[in-house]
Amino acid sequence: GIINVGNAQIYGKVNTGPGGTVQLGSKGSVGSVSWVPTIGIQPGYSQSDMNVAFPAVTLPAVSWTSLANNTSITNGGFYTMNEINNNMTISGSNVVLYLPNGIDFSGNQGLTIRTNSSITIYMGNRLRDGGNGYVNNETQNATRLTIYGLPSLTQIKLNGNGAFWGA
């Protein structure tokens, strides 16, 4: 397989399946905190020996509270909305959100996760940023945002200057 980093800055390692390649744009960078934003891949930070099998993700069997798209969430609990396609804020802890149609940002739209908040998202369809969209995890702690792709998730695409802190 191919990983196309484009001009992104990846703090960490990339690994493809056997025979896979990593493509970089003219400003792309992969490596340690001390390496990035040096252009290129830091020695030892790219491998092509990944071989894994992931079990299908399933939704928790709970009662979901339905919300309108882009409704900010201030309390923990289990929520569902069709998709996030505009600005939205999470300021509650232990929020679990089901998005059958995923996230679709364009322009300067984004999801903000406030300090001391946390969210787990079960996502279908797509995670798409048309450019300059963002997922602003104010803690910059990846464990505060976890996204599980359901079998119906078929696209993850971050364009332009998209930003993301999560797992």
PDB file of all heavy atoms in Angstrom, residues 25 40 49 52 59 65 68 78 80 86 91 133 137 150 161 165:
ATOM      1  N   GLY A  25       5.153  15.155   0.040  1.00  0.00           N
ATOM      2  CA  GLY A  25       5.121  16.372  -0.748  1.00  0.00           C
ATOM      3  C   GLY A  25       6.415  17.143  -0.522  1.00  0.00           C
ATOM      4  O   GLY A  25       7.301  16.718   0.236  1.00  0.00           O
ATOM      5  N   GLY A  40      11.469  15.469   4.797  1.00  0.00           N
ATOM      6  CA  GLY A  40      11.898  14.110   4.531  1.00  0.00           C
ATOM      7  C   GLY A  40      11.527  13.172   5.666  1.00  0.00           C
ATOM      8  O   GLY A  40      10.824  13.540   6.603  1.00  0.00           O
ATOM      9  N   ASP A  49       6.889  -3.491   6.743  1.00  0.00           N
ATOM     10  CA  ASP A  49       6.696  -4.874   7.172  1.00  0.00           C
ATOM     11  C   ASP A  49       5.423  -5.058   8.008  1.00  0.00           C
ATOM     12  O   ASP A  49       5.286  -6.045   8.723  1.00  0.00           O
ATOM     13  CB  ASP A  49       7.910  -5.355   7.968  1.00  0.00           C
ATOM     14  CG  ASP A  49       8.158  -4.525   9.219  1.00  0.00           C
ATOM     15  OD1 ASP A  49       7.436  -3.540   9.460  1.00  0.00           O
ATOM     16  OD2 ASP A  49       9.097  -4.868   9.968  1.00  0.00           O
ATOM     17  N   VAL A  52      -1.239  -6.822   9.722  1.00  0.00           N
ATOM     18  CA  VAL A  52      -2.170  -6.903  10.846  1.00  0.00           C
ATOM     19  C   VAL A  52      -3.577  -7.221  10.351  1.00  0.00           C
ATOM     20  O   VAL A  52      -3.905  -7.006   9.193  1.00  0.00           O
ATOM     21  CB  VAL A  52      -2.206  -5.580  11.649  1.00  0.00           C
ATOM     22  CG1 VAL A  52      -0.874  -5.296  12.284  1.00  0.00           C
ATOM     23  CG2 VAL A  52      -2.635  -4.430  10.772  1.00  0.00           C
ATOM     24  N   LEU A  59     -20.865  -1.026  17.473  1.00  0.00           N
ATOM     25  CA  LEU A  59     -21.393  -0.005  18.380  1.00  0.00           C
ATOM     26  C   LEU A  59     -21.708  -0.601  19.746  1.00  0.00           C
ATOM     27  O   LEU A  59     -22.169  -1.739  19.832  1.00  0.00           O
ATOM     28  CB  LEU A  59     -22.699   0.573  17.821  1.00  0.00           C
ATOM     29  CG  LEU A  59     -22.596   1.587  16.703  1.00  0.00           C
ATOM     30  CD1 LEU A  59     -23.986   1.908  16.173  1.00  0.00           C
ATOM     31  CD2 LEU A  59     -21.911   2.844  17.181  1.00  0.00           C
ATOM     32  N   THR A  65     -28.835   9.163  22.916  1.00  0.00           N
ATOM     33  CA  THR A  65     -29.624  10.395  22.911  1.00  0.00           C
ATOM     34  C   THR A  65     -29.401  11.083  21.576  1.00  0.00           C
ATOM     35  O   THR A  65     -28.260  11.400  21.219  1.00  0.00           O
ATOM     36  CB  THR A  65     -29.190  11.334  24.058  1.00  0.00           C
ATOM     37  OG1 THR A  65     -29.384  10.650  25.302  1.00  0.00           O
ATOM     38  CG2 THR A  65     -29.987  12.620  24.040  1.00  0.00           C
ATOM     39  N   ALA A  68     -29.373  17.212  17.163  1.00  0.00           N
ATOM     40  CA  ALA A  68     -29.252  17.803  15.830  1.00  0.00           C
ATOM     41  C   ALA A  68     -27.765  17.891  15.465  1.00  0.00           C
ATOM     42  O   ALA A  68     -26.902  17.987  16.344  1.00  0.00           O
ATOM     43  CB  ALA A  68     -29.880  19.202  15.815  1.00  0.00           C
ATOM     44  N   PHE A  78     -24.026   9.086  26.083  1.00  0.00           N
ATOM     45  CA  PHE A  78     -24.043   8.459  24.764  1.00  0.00           C
ATOM     46  C   PHE A  78     -24.973   9.261  23.855  1.00  0.00           C
ATOM     47  O   PHE A  78     -26.173   9.359  24.130  1.00  0.00           O
ATOM     48  CB  PHE A  78     -24.523   7.004  24.870  1.00  0.00           C
ATOM     49  CG  PHE A  78     -23.559   6.124  25.606  1.00  0.00           C
ATOM     50  CD1 PHE A  78     -23.616   6.007  26.991  1.00  0.00           C
ATOM     51  CD2 PHE A  78     -22.585   5.427  24.920  1.00  0.00           C
ATOM     52  CE1 PHE A  78     -22.720   5.204  27.667  1.00  0.00           C
ATOM     53  CE2 PHE A  78     -21.686   4.612  25.588  1.00  0.00           C
ATOM     54  CZ  PHE A  78     -21.750   4.507  26.965  1.00  0.00           C
ATOM     55  N   THR A  80     -26.013  10.579  19.633  1.00  0.00           N
ATOM     56  CA  THR A  80     -25.915  10.327  18.198  1.00  0.00           C
ATOM     57  C   THR A  80     -26.426  11.532  17.441  1.00  0.00           C
ATOM     58  O   THR A  80     -27.343  12.227  17.892  1.00  0.00           O
ATOM     59  CB  THR A  80     -26.691   9.048  17.779  1.00  0.00           C
ATOM     60  OG1 THR A  80     -26.471   8.821  16.382  1.00  0.00           O
ATOM     61  CG2 THR A  80     -28.176   9.155  18.058  1.00  0.00           C
ATOM     62  N   ASN A  86     -20.071  21.273  10.577  1.00  0.00           N
ATOM     63  CA  ASN A  86     -19.856  22.680  10.887  1.00  0.00           C
ATOM     64  C   ASN A  86     -19.165  22.735  12.241  1.00  0.00           C
ATOM     65  O   ASN A  86     -18.845  21.713  12.815  1.00  0.00           O
ATOM     66  CB  ASN A  86     -21.178  23.454  10.893  1.00  0.00           C
ATOM     67  CG  ASN A  86     -21.002  24.913  10.522  1.00  0.00           C
ATOM     68  OD1 ASN A  86     -19.980  25.515  10.836  1.00  0.00           O
ATOM     69  ND2 ASN A  86     -21.984  25.470   9.852  1.00  0.00           N
ATOM     70  N   SER A  91     -17.321  19.882  25.572  1.00  0.00           N
ATOM     71  CA  SER A  91     -16.777  20.370  26.839  1.00  0.00           C
ATOM     72  C   SER A  91     -17.167  19.456  27.998  1.00  0.00           C
ATOM     73  O   SER A  91     -17.049  19.837  29.156  1.00  0.00           O
ATOM     74  CB  SER A  91     -17.224  21.805  27.108  1.00  0.00           C
ATOM     75  OG  SER A  91     -18.626  21.916  27.062  1.00  0.00           O
ATOM     76  N   GLY A 133      -9.906  22.694   7.632  1.00  0.00           N
ATOM     77  CA  GLY A 133     -10.719  22.197   8.737  1.00  0.00           C
ATOM     78  C   GLY A 133      -9.803  21.749   9.859  1.00  0.00           C
ATOM     79  O   GLY A 133      -8.587  21.635   9.692  1.00  0.00           O
ATOM     80  N   ASN A 137      -7.939  19.530  19.600  1.00  0.00           N
ATOM     81  CA  ASN A 137      -7.889  18.875  20.895  1.00  0.00           C
ATOM     82  C   ASN A 137      -7.025  19.776  21.774  1.00  0.00           C
ATOM     83  O   ASN A 137      -5.807  19.717  21.711  1.00  0.00           O
ATOM     84  CB  ASN A 137      -7.290  17.480  20.728  1.00  0.00           C
ATOM     85  CG  ASN A 137      -7.235  16.682  21.992  1.00  0.00           C
ATOM     86  OD1 ASN A 137      -7.386  17.211  23.081  1.00  0.00           O
ATOM     87  ND2 ASN A 137      -6.993  15.395  21.845  1.00  0.00           N
ATOM     88  N   LEU A 150     -16.305   2.454  11.855  1.00  0.00           N
ATOM     89  CA  LEU A 150     -17.223   1.334  11.651  1.00  0.00           C
ATOM     90  C   LEU A 150     -16.992   0.738  10.267  1.00  0.00           C
ATOM     91  O   LEU A 150     -16.362   1.374   9.406  1.00  0.00           O
ATOM     92  CB  LEU A 150     -18.662   1.826  11.802  1.00  0.00           C
ATOM     93  CG  LEU A 150     -19.018   2.320  13.211  1.00  0.00           C
ATOM     94  CD1 LEU A 150     -20.344   3.080  13.198  1.00  0.00           C
ATOM     95  CD2 LEU A 150     -19.069   1.154  14.177  1.00  0.00           C
ATOM     96  N   ASN A 161      -4.467  22.400   4.928  1.00  0.00           N
ATOM     97  CA  ASN A 161      -3.863  22.662   6.226  1.00  0.00           C
ATOM     98  C   ASN A 161      -4.646  22.019   7.359  1.00  0.00           C
ATOM     99  O   ASN A 161      -4.660  22.521   8.471  1.00  0.00           O
ATOM    100  CB  ASN A 161      -3.754  24.168   6.449  1.00  0.00           C
ATOM    101  CG  ASN A 161      -2.816  24.807   5.468  1.00  0.00           C
ATOM    102  OD1 ASN A 161      -1.740  24.303   5.219  1.00  0.00           O
ATOM    103  ND2 ASN A 161      -3.243  25.912   4.876  1.00  0.00           N
ATOM    104  N   TRP A 165      -5.435  16.049  16.336  1.00  0.00           N
ATOM    105  CA  TRP A 165      -4.764  15.437  17.488  1.00  0.00           C
ATOM    106  C   TRP A 165      -5.718  14.388  18.030  1.00  0.00           C
ATOM    107  O   TRP A 165      -6.734  14.719  18.626  1.00  0.00           O
ATOM    108  CB  TRP A 165      -4.520  16.462  18.600  1.00  0.00           C
ATOM    109  CG  TRP A 165      -3.404  17.398  18.351  1.00  0.00           C
ATOM    110  CD1 TRP A 165      -3.454  18.579  17.675  1.00  0.00           C
ATOM    111  CD2 TRP A 165      -2.045  17.260  18.779  1.00  0.00           C
ATOM    112  NE1 TRP A 165      -2.224  19.174  17.661  1.00  0.00           N
ATOM    113  CE2 TRP A 165      -1.337  18.381  18.337  1.00  0.00           C
ATOM    114  CE3 TRP A 165      -1.367  16.276  19.489  1.00  0.00           C
ATOM    115  CZ2 TRP A 165       0.008  18.562  18.581  1.00  0.00           C
ATOM    116  CZ3 TRP A 165      -0.016  16.476  19.738  1.00  0.00           C
ATOM    117  CH2 TRP A 165       0.645  17.599  19.286  1.00  0.00           C
TER     118      TRP A 165
END
